[in-house]
Amino acid sequence: MQPQQSGHAQQSPGLHRVKLYKLNETGGWDDKGTGLVSIGPMEFANHASNSVGLVVLGEETQKMLMVHRILHEDIYNRQDETIITWTDPDIGTDVALSFQEGQGCNAIWQHIVRVQNDADPKHPGEASRV
């Protein structure tokens, strides 16, 4: 079973409307909410970082539904025109973003690919061929 695509709403440029799903213990997808996904630098309190991540803010509440640092490992998959999935090692489960529009999915996918291709050359093998 694949996550369902999300409905329609207006959004700001750079933000893409998604439904967030997490795989449960029985193999079904749990709907964790509808929100707007953006991509940007990750900030850590104790040190500077060049990490880039995905953030999903709840559509109605502006509550943070997900924060995910984009990894250099080849964990991301694109399904059809509007779904990106991955196994998140930090939470130990599969995650899916189902985009309202293929254009938004493509924009986020291109950022993921760019981050993976810009892996630190001191660590060969980290860059992914996506």
Side-chain angles (χ1 to χ4, degrees):
M1 179 175 153
Q2 292 185 350
Q4 300 172 0
Q5 294 183 13
S6 51
H8 299 290
Q10 291 190 352
Q11 59 206 29
S12 301
L15 298 175
H16 307 284
R17 190 165 189 262
V18 296
K19 275 194 169 273
L20 172 65
Y21 295 89
K22 292 186 182 173
L23 196 65
N24 63 33
E25 310 80 41
T26 62
W29 290 100
D30 289 339
D31 183 345
K32 297 299 183 179
T34 299
L36 299 173
V37 64
S38 61
I39 193 161
M42 301 290 287
E43 297 179 13
F44 298 96
N46 297 330
H47 66 284
S49 172
N50 61 354
S51 295
V52 176
L54 298 169
V55 176
V56 178
L57 293 178
E59 189 170 57
E60 300 293 325
T61 64
Q62 300 300 306
K63 177 183 169 189
M64 196 167 310
L65 301 178
M66 181 193 79
V67 176
H68 171 73
R69 181 175 56 89
I70 298 173
L71 303 174
H72 295 292
E73 291 80 15
D74 188 15
I75 63 170
Y76 304 95
N77 295 293
R78 185 163 177 186
Q79 299 178 9
D80 303 320
E81 298 274 324
T82 58
I83 298 173
I84 297 174
T85 62
W86 68 93
T87 300
D88 191 324
D90 293 335
I91 60 174
T93 192
D94 288 4
V95 178
L97 293 178
S98 177
F99 290 76
Q100 174 182 331
E101 298 177 356
Q103 182 179 15
C105 184
N106 189 54
I108 295 297
W109 182 253
Q110 292 305 316
H111 279 290
I112 291 170
V113 170
R114 198 171 307 125
V115 168
Q116 290 186 320
N117 288 336
D118 289 343
D120 185 348
K122 296 177 189 171
H123 299 93
E126 280 192 317
S128 173
R129 291 183 300 271
V130 180

